[in-house]
Amino acid sequence: VLSQYSKTRRSREQWKAKAIKRGQGERYQRKQSARHKARADQKTKALEAAETRTLELEAQLHDLTSRSKVDVVHLAVQLFLEARIGFRAVSRVLTLLALALGIKKAPCPQTVINWVLRLSIVRIDSARHLRGLPLSQAPFCNGLIWMIDISIGLGTGKILAILAFDAHHHHLHSGALSLAQVHCIGVSVAASWTGEAIAQVLRCLITVMGRPAAYLKDRGSELYKAADLLALEGLGSACIDDISHAAASMLKRAYQNHPDFEVFLSACGRVSGNFKQTILACLAPPNVRTKARFMNVHRLFTWADRGLKLSPAGGAKAGSILARLRANLDRLPQCKALIKRFRADAQGVMRCEKILKTKGLTPKTLAECEPLIDTIASDAVRQEFRAYLEVQLETAKDLGLDQIGLPISSDSIESLFGVAKQHGVGETQDAARIALRVPALCGVPTREEAEQVLEVSVARQKEATDQFISLTQQRREVLGHPERLESLSEDQGKHQVTLMPSPKSRSNHEPILNLSVGCENRYGPQLMTEDDLALLENTGPPEIREAALP
């Protein structure tokens, strides 16, 4: 029988063996757990650092790709003015490409409208600093040629626009004058424009910008009268007649009383009605406006000449397309002599126009046009066209532009009116609303102008837009409230749009001083003597006539 002590000792040895064995496993587990925990903590810290770095890089990338508001304004204005898409289309395009272009929020259509309107204000305000290269033959002018024209829109107002461009255009640029090289310096709307009213607008512009080198215009009587009134005041400038209007006037005088001309026009109208909605619709004549018809009537004669060539001499099979064509030509074959003669006159004139619009009028380009002028069939048209070019060449010599090239085409302002009436005005071609956007359509928008657009205040914009009555607003009020019909005549014609540059120090309507157009002393001002320096006149208030020098 084992003693109690031996039993206790044996039990202790067994417990120690078990404890040692159990302790070894637990120590291994504790070390393994510590290693796993350390590794997991290391991975967690690395993941947190990676996420932080990713967020930092994304923030930097976002800052690099996001565009400033100036860039958004510049892009929106470019899409409207150069891509020629509407206000809603500009907003949709910027919304679609916002992520790719880095735009945080695309502008709505009304915001784009406001930006375009403010661009007009910016360009009108900056027009006071516009100057051209000096002219040796006309030293007392600003070196610019002002292009003037009048157009109509929907409503009682007529739009008067004045564009300016450098007189040395053909020296600075190759090719014909375009909207990219002109600047709108003034636009105004009135119920009617007389010579006195146009002269007043030009007088205000001369006060701010100086006297132009010349006026480029059509042959409107009111424009002639305005130029004559300014000349009587000592503010006269040379007048250049647009070559397209001059040629149209020559053709009008030669053919408007021709016995076959009205027959030709009525035949073209009936042919148009016969061809439309038929298999011959592709041969229908082009549309020619009734006002200023001779500006583009050559298209009608060109169509007639080509159309008659489709019907050669000889018989046509019954039921064929040729027989159907001949049956619908009305009295057009009777006008073959008129068509041939008119085309001979118009082609020679138009080929000369293409050369002179591209290169300007110089003795060299005039000599280049001489063979084409000889091809003009009518003696009256040929002689009058040659006389017109000689008169314009004398104007070029007076301005010192005879070797550079005298611009004699006002196609830019015609194109400006056409774009303004079709682009961004919707169904209601309100003359006042068109006038507000005319300055923005000239020139090429720059980023500096976009910065200035954002600086235009709401009050300045409201000052410009509150000048006129919106036809759309009037329509909504009258159609929704028939009792307000008589209100249309209350303020009609009292408020009209006028955008012109004005000096910050004085009003645009102050009386203008008589400016000298010459210099009596060819050798410049003379030095004053000591006796002359003793007194200075008109240096104080009106009641003080002289002030003594100390």
Side-chain angles (χ1 to χ4, degrees):
V1 178
L2 295 175
S3 63
Q4 188 70 26
Y5 174 75
S6 61
K7 291 181 180 179
T8 303
R9 185 174 181 180
R10 184 177 179 182
S11 175
R12 182 179 180 185
E13 292 295 332
Q14 293 176 355
W15 173 81
K16 286 176 64 176
K18 292 179 180 179
I20 291 172
K21 185 177 180 179
R22 185 170 57 247
Q24 290 177 349
E26 290 179 354
R27 283 193 297 271
Y28 176 78
Q29 290 295 333
R30 285 196 300 269
K31 292 180 181 178
Q32 190 73 5
S33 298
R35 285 195 297 268
H36 286 308
K37 186 176 184 300
R39 189 177 302 171
D41 292 343
Q42 184 179 4
K43 290 182 178 179
T44 302
K45 291 180 180 180
L47 180 60
E48 292 177 353
E51 291 178 351
T52 303
R53 180 59 178 167
T54 302
L55 293 176
E56 292 177 354
L57 292 176
E58 288 179 354
Q60 294 178 2
L61 183 62
H62 181 71
D63 293 337
L64 290 175
T65 57
S66 61
R67 294 181 179 272
S68 63
K69 192 171 183 179
V70 175
D71 293 330
V72 177
V73 173
H74 187 206
L75 182 58
V77 171
Q78 281 183 313
L79 288 173
F80 177 75
L81 299 178
E82 296 188 8
R84 299 282 172 83
I85 60 177
F87 296 115
R88 290 184 177 86
V90 171
S91 179
R92 288 196 295 266
V93 169
L94 294 180
T95 302
L96 181 64
L97 301 179
L99 182 62
L101 297 176
I103 299 175
K104 296 179 181 179
K105 182 180 179 181
C108 66
Q110 184 59 47
T111 302
V112 181
I113 292 174
N114 293 336
W115 288 345
V116 173
L117 177 57
R118 294 181 182 187
L119 179 60
S120 295
I121 297 174
V122 167
R123 288 184 168 177
I124 286 293
D125 290 342
S126 63
R128 67 171 66 93
H129 306 297
L130 191 63
R131 295 293 183 273
L133 296 178
L135 294 170
S136 58
Q137 298 295 109
F140 296 98
C141 69
N142 55 21
L144 301 172
I145 295 178
W146 290 359
M147 193 184 304
I148 311 171
D149 200 3
I150 300 173
S151 183
I152 61 174
L154 187 62
T156 59
K158 295 183 179 180
I159 308 170
L160 171 68
I162 301 100
L163 308 184
F165 62 94
D166 200 307
H168 293 79
H169 167 78
H170 290 290
H171 176 69
L172 300 173
H173 306 278
S174 60
L177 188 68
S178 66
L179 286 179
Q181 289 96 34
V182 298
H183 306 269
C184 182
I185 60 174
V187 60
S188 184
V189 179
S192 62
W193 286 104
T194 62
E196 291 80 3
I198 297 175
Q200 179 61 28
V201 173
L202 296 177
R203 196 178 294 114
C204 294
L205 289 175
I206 292 174
T207 306
V208 179
M209 301 183 59
R211 189 169 55 88
Y215 299 109
L216 177 56
K217 56 182 181 55
D218 59 19
R219 294 192 166 189
S221 58
E222 65 277 359
L223 299 177
Y224 271 115
K225 186 174 182 180
D228 293 339
L229 290 174
L230 292 175
L232 293 175
E233 300 174 9
L235 302 173
S237 299
C239 290
I240 306 171
D241 291 331
D242 171 54
I243 187 172
S244 297
H245 286 83
S249 299
M250 299 172 195
L251 295 174
K252 181 178 180 179
R253 283 189 288 270
Y255 287 96
Q256 68 176 348
N257 295 325
H258 195 283
D260 291 337
F261 185 73
E262 291 299 330
V263 176
F264 171 77
L265 292 180
S266 60
C268 290
R270 284 190 288 270
V271 169
S272 178
N274 294 337
F275 283 6
K276 291 179 179 179
Q277 310 302 325
T278 68
I279 197 174
L280 299 173
C282 62
L283 303 178
N287 294 326
V288 176
R289 59 186 181 183
T290 56
K291 188 175 181 180
R293 174 181 292 162
F294 281 86
M295 289 290 293
N296 52 12
V297 74
H298 61 275
R299 300 175 184 173
L300 208 54
F301 281 91
T302 302
W303 164 84
D305 183 64
R306 298 176 66 182
L308 291 177
K309 290 180 180 178
L310 296 176
S311 176
K317 185 180 179 180
S320 64
I321 297 296
L322 178 58
R324 193 170 179 178
L325 173 66
R326 289 179 177 179
N328 290 314
L329 287 178
D330 197 69
R331 301 173 62 185
L332 203 60
Q334 302 177 16
C335 305
K336 284 185 177 180
L338 173 65
I339 295 171
K340 182 178 179 181
R341 185 176 182 84
F342 188 94
R343 287 208 67 200
D345 288 341
Q347 282 183 348
V349 172
M350 293 181 63
R351 288 174 182 173
C352 292
E353 286 184 21
K354 185 176 180 180
I355 295 173
L356 298 176
K357 289 179 180 180
T358 305
K359 302 179 181 179
L361 179 60
T362 63
K364 183 178 179 181
T365 55
L366 182 58
E368 188 176 349
C369 291
E370 282 295 335
L372 300 175
I373 296 175
D374 293 335
T375 62
I376 298 176
S378 301
D379 293 337
V381 176
R382 182 172 60 253
Q383 294 175 5
E384 189 175 0
F385 188 65
R386 185 177 280 115
Y388 158 78
L389 294 179
E390 291 176 356
V391 171
Q392 303 307 314
L393 187 58
E394 289 298 324
T395 302
K397 292 178 180 178
D398 293 340
L399 296 175
L401 298 174
D402 53 320
Q403 300 301 322
I404 297 175
L406 178 70
I408 58 173
S409 173
S410 63
D411 288 352
S412 298
I413 199 167
E414 299 287 348
S415 176
L416 174 64
F417 283 134
V419 172
K421 292 178 181 180
Q422 298 293 331
H423 186 41
V425 296
E427 297 180 358
T428 306
Q429 296 183 349
D430 191 346
R433 194 174 299 277
I434 291 172
L436 286 175
R437 296 170 186 171
V438 162
L441 295 172
C442 302
V444 178
T446 62
R447 196 177 188 278
E448 291 74 13
E449 289 178 329
E451 294 176 356
Q452 297 174 14
V453 164
L454 294 177
E455 296 174 359
V456 177
S457 63
V458 176
R460 180 70 177 91
Q461 178 181 345
K462 186 175 178 61
E463 179 185 352
T465 55
D466 284 351
Q467 298 182 38
F468 71 97
I469 303 172
S470 172
L471 297 184
T472 303
Q473 182 179 359
Q474 284 183 327
R475 174 181 295 176
R476 291 171 182 170
E477 291 181 357
V478 173
L479 293 180
H481 305 277
E483 67 276 5
R484 299 181 183 178
L485 180 62
E486 295 298 328
S487 65
L488 292 177
S489 61
E490 292 179 358
D491 297 326
Q492 189 68 28
K494 294 183 180 180
H495 305 284
Q496 299 288 4
V497 170
T498 299
L499 290 179
M500 287 193 298
S502 59
K504 296 182 179 180
S505 59
R506 60 177 178 176
S507 171
N508 235 2
H509 303 285
E510 292 183 2
I512 187 172
L513 299 176
N514 288 327
L515 304 179
S516 173
V517 295
C519 184
E520 295 181 359
N521 189 353
R522 299 170 59 89
Y523 303 100
Q526 301 298 317
L527 296 176
M528 301 176 66
T529 62
E530 295 182 359
D531 296 336
D532 296 332
L533 293 173
L535 296 176
L536 291 178
E537 297 184 357
N538 302 329
T539 58
E543 62 273 8
I544 300 178
R545 299 294 299 172
E546 298 177 349
L549 284 177

